[in-house]
Amino acid sequence: MTTTLPKPAPEETAPKRTRRRLSKSGRAGGQLHGGPIAYIVLGLFTFGSLGPLVWSAIAASRDTNRLAQTPPPFWFGSNLFKNLDKAWTDANLGKAFLNTTIVAGISSITIVILSTIAGFAFAKLRFRGRGALMLIVVGTMMVPPQLSIIPLYMMVAELEWTDQLQSVILPSLVSAFGVFFMRQYLIQALPDELIEAARVDGASSWRVLWHVVFPAARPAMAVLGMLTFVQSWNDFLWPFLVLTQTGNPTVQVALAGLGRGYTPDQSLIMAGAFLGTVPLLIVFALFGKQIVGGIMQGAVKG
Amino acid sequence: MASHDTAAPPSKGGAAPGRPAPGQPSEAEQRRRARLSRRWQRDIKWSPYAFVSPFFLLFLAFGLFPLVYTGWASLHQVELTAPTDMKWVGLRNYTRIFDDDFFWNAAKNTLTIGIISTVPQLLMALGIAHILNYRLRASTFYRVVILAPYATSIAAAALVFVLLFGHDYGMINWGLDLVGLGPVDWQNDKWSSQIAVSTIIIWRWTGYNALIYLAAMQAIPNDLYESAALDGASRWQQFIHVTLPSLRPTILFTVVVSTIGASQVFGEPLLFDPNTGASGGGEHQYQTLGLYLYEQGWVNQHLGRASAIAWTMFLILIVIGIVNYVISRRLRSSSGS
């Protein structure tokens, strides 16, 4: 009825749009239409990416006995909320969510601010040793975390900070990637003239930072914030070492504890895994486009 | 583009005088200007250091110092129960781990898991980036979807895949049974368990690498393809002769990053069998160096030996880095000639 009417219009405009793209586009490949094979392959990858996540939700909505049957369940059951509720209490997930939010929140905010300031200096200011210091920043990205956990652990043990959040937060306040990311962004997003203009007006470096750099960097700061939040939320090795699974866990530590029982309740474990992933999937559903853009932007100039 | 609607207002003590001074400025005014100018110079000279110093201070405390201290600890006997009680043993921790069969087993496993997780991952990423580079309906949707596993934590992913790889009721063995293949013992056989652990890594990282390739592909100038097409190159030939060479630095970058990641694999094998944990399977069949370090340090409580493992891993990484650098130099010079 109404759907038949507007249909011819897109078909008429489509070739025109393609031609315009062809002549204007400086991008490679982007002008070529994907054929059916492309959609089939993408469909397979979509299934591969989302399949395990969807299936964990299905398993979380079932009774454990149903999971120990062939064929495995393919559709949702009715136990979802019961399992979520049980996982929530059994794995201390309420505390874990609060802890992870605190840790990820503090470290992302600090990393974003410190990275913007340092990234600005590396992108736009001239000073002796800039090249060498930047090399150190990039070099630190290659140092594996395993190299620092032993002394850090000794430190935490010495200070009797085991099972306390500051032992997770403190080492996660810097990110070499963040400095690098902000530098790459500011090199192209912040015109030199703008800084010079502020300088001519007599602005001090801190004023330039506050009134010129931060506003210009805002989009990249948002992306970096989300990326670090995801990373910090998912961090496993270090929290696993210093936090206990029942006392004061982060979500990841609590999840690791879930699988450990002697008679593990599988649907309960899946409920926990699902719960631990949901906040990030929501972030992705809302800001996925920006996160994708951020990763791609960081990559090109890298 | 960001909007810059917040131009800096002239500061109160700016270089411009508040009132128009007729004739010569007074002596006091001159002094004031000189003082301002000195402060200005200091600001220009030192503020960059102030801006980068938080990063470096924190890095010194939580990056460099631990790095060096790990090296120091690796020359001592240190037990987890009394971490301050250090006894000098020279290189004995190193000889001890090199004599340990489990160390070589873990090194070999790290290598094989690294290869079977990295190679398919990057090849698939390249393929999917190529497809995403076409004009597609809902292309943003696909980009977000393939990145979704990246948002999933190691712990959650491992738990889900353990169930999928279950021997009797796992989804994957059920599928294999459906196509007429027998069930695979994903947890206990060496190769199948390493493939299963690698699958978790591949699942989490393929989309991320695909986006990095896609970004690099979109930066390739169209002229290259046009002239290749004029020379009669097919789509496939264009991919081989235009896309791949242009992506070489990006591919190298992802290889380096994935190699570093693969050398540290820890959570996936730790959680793959909750009952064996740190030993990486009943026969240590998928124990990686990361797990071996954890087992020595936190299960057997030998922090000194764990430090020696950490430093050995670091040295291996440096060697890999140098090899990568040499290969990339070679590639560059051969493509230049």
Side-chain angles (χ1 to χ4, degrees), chain A residues 82-101:
Chain A
K82 200 181 108 203
N83 288 332
L84 292 181
D85 192 44
K86 194 151 184 294
W88 184 267
T89 41
D90 276 18
N92 205 1
L93 273 178
K95 184 89 179 275
F97 267 95
L98 183 68
N99 282 346
T100 318
T101 312

Side-chain angles (χ1 to χ4, degrees), chain B residues 88-209:
Chain B
W88 177 266
V89 292
L91 291 174
R92 208 176 72 204
N93 283 323
Y94 289 90
T95 54
R96 280 288 281 278
I97 58 167
F98 292 153
D99 283 341
D100 186 352
D101 287 343
F102 289 127
F103 169 79
W104 296 106
N105 172 62
K108 239 181 289 172
N109 289 344
T110 309
L111 183 72
T112 49
I113 290 176
I115 291 171
I116 50 185
S117 63
T118 307
V119 175
Q121 180 194 134
L122 295 184
L123 286 177
M124 284 199 297
L126 206 54
I128 196 167
H130 181 71
I131 290 171
L132 283 172
N133 201 23
Y134 285 113
R135 248 165 72 77
L136 298 159
R137 267 170 235 275
S139 64
T140 311
F141 168 76
Y142 293 116
R143 292 176 195 186
V144 175
V145 161
I146 60 161
L147 196 61
Y150 168 79
T152 312
S153 67
I154 291 176
L159 295 178
V160 174
F161 275 85
V162 167
L163 209 51
L164 287 173
F165 278 112
H167 184 271
D168 292 326
Y169 307 107
M171 180 73 89
I172 289 166
N173 273 351
W174 176 80
L176 287 178
D177 189 51
L178 211 63
V179 295
L181 298 166
V184 174
D185 194 349
W186 292 107
Q187 273 181 332
N188 294 320
D189 288 349
K190 186 164 184 112
W191 283 105
S192 54
S193 63
Q194 293 199 359
I195 289 171
V197 168
S198 302
T199 305
I200 309 174
I201 303 168
I202 293 171
W203 182 71
R204 284 190 68 223
W205 289 101
T206 302
Y208 182 86
N209 284 306

Side-chain angles (χ1 to χ4, degrees), chain A residues 201-231:
Chain A
D201 286 347
S204 70
S205 294
W206 293 101
R207 238 168 208 286
V208 170
L209 200 62
W210 187 251
H211 289 287
V212 180
V213 178
F214 280 149
R218 208 177 293 150
M221 287 167 90
V223 171
L224 180 64
M226 284 184 279
L227 284 177
T228 17
F229 191 85
V230 170
Q231 215 161 31

Side-chain angles (χ1 to χ4, degrees), chain A residues 49-59 75-76 274:
Chain A
S49 288
L50 297 185
L53 292 173
V54 173
W55 191 78
S56 79
I58 291 174
W75 196 245
F76 297 92
F274 182 67

